[in-house]
Amino acid sequence: MIRSAASATRNPCDKVIQESRQDRRRAAIGATPLIVPRPQHGISRANISENALKVLYRLKQESFQAHLVGGGVRDLLLGREPKDFDVATDATPEQVRQVFRNCRLIGRRFRLAHVHFGREIIEVATFRGGAVPDGDADDRQIDNGRIVRDNTYGTIAEDALRRDFTVNALYYNIADFSLIDYADGLADLDAGRLRLIGDPEQRYREDPVRMLRAVRFACKLGFTIDAATEKPIFGLAHLLADIAPARLFDELIKLFHSGYGREVFEKLRQYGLFGQLFPATEECLAREDHGFPITFVSRGLTNTDKRVQEDKTVTPAFLLGVLLWEPVRRRFEHYLAAGESTNEAMFLAAGEICARQQPLVAIPKRFSLPMREIWSLQPRFEQRDGRRPQRLITHPRFRAAYDFLLLRADAGEADPELAAWWTRFEEANARERASMLEGTGKRRRRRPRRAKADPSAGPDTKV
């Protein structure tokens, strides 16, 4: 039974989604999958995580079904190295915990089992089922068309049609090493096509984050989004407002910290999704008062992509600082024109933009505080008199703030000569830095020294 979390304000589309789920369940029960035997596909156990194989074999030994599923199977078929391996089984989360002592159950919306092997975690999910009329009323709740809780279990056929994209609904069966395809995922994989399972609009209403996932997978895999899957996004972007800000932050990191952030940025703007995540930034970009706002964001994302591809460290603080800088800069200039001091103007501008952003995408303090420090150091780069450059270069955020300054200069927003001076200063040794600082500060007046009395001279006498 599907029930709304607030039955008094039941949304009409809940009934539509329930009927769709029941139709899919009936279709799945009688569905005949495409089964590809081991000699006819390219997946080898040598390319599967040893710990994932342990989980698969152990579940099989306990007489449970065990399949590798999702992105791991997809990436193996594409010749990529999977980031992680997920397992699907007919064992309930509680049964999985009984099999593995190193297992923890997580999640409320979707109950999952995490099997820990040191730093590697193998996620084990029970086959999801459809809408069962005589099922537990607490197993599934739908609020305004969006699934807010769903723990009904079913068969592998039902589970396949419950997944989002066809290329993520491929199963590798550890029992005979075959591939199982219920949704024509192999055909879409060969065609380089990203297609949602079921009615796209209903699937987006069930979970609006799927729109972000469509963008992420299309950019990651280099796939085209199927026309039917793409069309509803333009009119449903506003549904992201119903998603928890903390969840959107997690999705944001996946979008922009995977090595293809610039392409993601362009697609998010194309579909109207970026404005739902960063409305203040989108408003600035849409005005195009100057040439540098989009250039700055694009260069910042390109820089992050390059660091990811080179396996260098990246921090969300820098990325978010780039994405929010333009509205902060404009408010900073507004407060300066109103007569505020430089430090106070930046403090007010940063606080205002962060307060507007937090209800949309929740930025944890461990990232928002260094992000604001990077912003606050930008005006200090213009202060090159006296000992200020020496103090600034010892600041814990100097390197990140300096990189931020270089991006601003490359985009045409900051003075290139200023960036070049700081580059020379940062690379110089102590003597060279002292030489660069000569004449940059105000000279202090020295009081004339008193002449010392000559001890050989006698005492002054008056005549």
Side-chain angles (χ1 to χ4, degrees), residues 48-49 51-53 55-56 59 66-76 82-89 106 112-115 120-127 159 163-164 168 170-174 213 216-217 220 254:
I48 300 175
S49 160
N51 293 322
L53 289 174
V55 172
L56 291 167
L59 288 171
H67 302 77
L68 200 64
V69 68
V73 177
R74 179 200 66 218
D75 290 345
L76 287 172
K83 186 177 180 180
D84 47 38
F85 294 91
D86 296 335
V87 172
T89 179
I106 67 163
L112 299 169
H114 277 183
V115 184
E120 184 178 12
I121 297 175
I122 305 301
E123 185 173 282
V124 182
T126 306
F127 294 144
D159 184 75
R163 296 186 175 270
D164 49 10
N168 291 339
L170 299 169
Y171 297 76
Y172 175 77
N173 188 358
I174 197 63
R213 287 169 59 83
R216 176 157 64 91
F217 288 135
K220 175 181 178 178
K254 294 177 184 177

Side-chain angles (χ1 to χ4, degrees), residues 384-386 434-443:
R384 291 179 281 173
D385 56 308
S435 176
M436 291 177 67
L437 294 176
E438 285 183 2
T440 59
K442 297 179 181 179
R443 292 185 177 181

